[in-house]
Amino acid sequence: MWSSSGRKVIVAWIALSAVTTPIVAAVVGPHLPPGNGSAQATEQVFDNTWMTAIVTPIVCLLLVFFVYVLTQFRHTGGELVDGPPLRDDPSVRVFWLVVTSVTVLFLAGFGTYELLQNGSGGGQGPSPIAIPIGKKLPVQVIAQQWQFTYRYPTYGGLETPQLVLPADTYVELHVTSLDAIHSFWAYELGVKADANPGVDNIAYVKTKGPRTFHVRCAELCGLWHGYMFNNGRVVPQSQFAAWIKSQTRDFSAVAKYLPKYSKTYYPDPQRRAG
Ligand SMILES: [Cu+2]
């Protein structure tokens, strides 16, 4: 099936891949996004490392082929004759079908397993199929032009412009919007969930130790979209209880003007009635 130069290309490709793939996985892998800020983020780094490792031999094949073409595959005078067409070669056809099918099916299986394993930070709609087992702290994320606010339904429906989460806790985020389409992106936690008006979009995240993280809107939502960001904090559990208390006190004067906690809200009560 392979000519001698074809064999040389294959051997060089396998040798280069065998050396570079483990190096890429070990050296580049740990630095891939989104870091180590939550159980989900760590999983995403693992997935990204796998995918980078899988793509490394493909890059190696392209590089080896480029080198071969640039150094060996030359016209050295005389009449220019084309080689036999590859499309009629059954072994090339089978090789191509097998390699691409195995790659795609493996990635589909791997991705599904990873998604179901511990819930995912992606926001799978109002009734996600992968629900992590155990107690979860519900926190509502409300997007509007152009800020995020957060509600804690198990703490009297407290609403605050800060996102503070207790360490080592499973959090059930309920992401919604009052107006345009936004997206809640808590980068270091590995969460990016659409914030759509009238939709309760659920995402799970298991926090790790205390840290700060960035929150950005990840959906172009109007004039001040670029300014729609927060810094969130993961704090020790005792500090979280104290923070809830201080926020409840600070916002007690305005709390009575808040609508009752609900899965979704409408900015104009008339619209809800209509
Ligand atoms: Cu936005």
Side-chain angles (χ1 to χ4, degrees):
M1 166 182 179
W2 307 102
S3 65
S4 77
S5 50
R7 262 196 301 275
K8 271 185 215 152
V9 166
I10 298 284
V11 169
W13 170 47
I14 290 172
L16 188 65
S17 302
V19 173
T20 51
T21 306
I23 293 175
V24 166
V27 177
V28 180
H31 302 288
L32 289 173
N36 202 21
S38 73
Q40 284 69 17
T42 304
E43 286 282 316
Q44 287 164 28
V45 171
F46 175 79
D47 298 349
N48 289 341
T49 304
W50 260 94
M51 285 193 281
T52 310
I54 289 170
V55 92
T56 304
I58 298 171
V59 173
C60 288
L61 180 60
L62 291 175
L63 290 176
V64 168
F65 196 68
F66 276 143
V67 170
Y68 167 72
V69 167
L70 290 171
T71 59
Q72 304 298 317
F73 194 69
R74 294 181 165 275
H75 178 50
T76 49
E79 202 191 340
L80 196 58
V81 186
D82 207 359
L86 277 178
R87 65 174 173 273
D88 290 331
D89 185 335
S91 56
V92 169
R93 227 184 268 169
V94 170
F95 176 76
W96 184 252
L97 275 177
V98 169
V99 167
T100 52
S101 303
V102 166
T103 307
V104 168
L105 290 175
F106 170 76
L107 285 175
F110 178 71
T112 307
Y113 173 77
E114 288 289 288
L115 186 70
L116 294 175
Q117 206 186 18
N118 62 354
S120 141
Q124 279 81 57
S127 44
I129 50 166
I131 301 172
I133 305 156
K135 209 166 159 274
K136 293 170 273 296
L137 170 72
V139 177
Q140 185 171 53
V141 177
I142 305 167
Q144 61 183 299
Q145 290 168 323
W146 287 276
Q147 63 168 338
F148 290 105
T149 56
Y150 308 94
R151 279 194 95 163
Y152 293 78
T154 47
Y155 293 95
L158 164 74
E159 183 165 351
T160 130
Q162 297 177 48
L163 179 56
V164 174
L165 301 172
D168 302 308
T169 304
Y170 237 119
V171 180
E172 182 175 283
L173 295 161
H174 291 259
V175 184
T176 190
S177 165
L178 292 185
D179 43 42
I181 291 171
H182 303 268
S183 178
F184 171 71
W185 184 22
Y187 174 72
E188 291 87 349
L189 300 187
V191 177
K192 191 191 259 177
D194 289 342
N196 295 342
V199 177
D200 171 34
N201 195 16
I202 297 174
Y204 299 102
V205 66
K206 187 163 191 286
T207 58
K208 291 185 165 183
R211 63 165 302 133
T212 58
F213 57 89
H214 295 99
V215 173
R216 284 201 160 274
C217 182
E219 183 68 63
L220 188 57
C221 60
L223 190 58
W224 302 112
H225 162 71
Y227 290 89
M228 198 168 158
F229 61 84
N230 284 144
N231 286 318
R233 280 184 296 144
V234 176
V235 299
Q237 303 202 354
S238 56
Q239 209 173 313
F240 177 73
W243 177 80
I244 286 278
K245 242 184 221 154
S246 77
Q247 293 293 293
T248 308
R249 195 183 51 235
D250 291 356
F251 291 107
S252 64
V254 292
K256 57 178 179 285
Y257 299 110
L258 282 178
K260 243 178 107 241
Y261 178 80
S262 154
K263 295 261 162 92
T264 58
Y265 305 94
Y266 296 87
D268 176 2
Q270 294 306 312
R271 194 177 133 194
R272 183 173 217 176

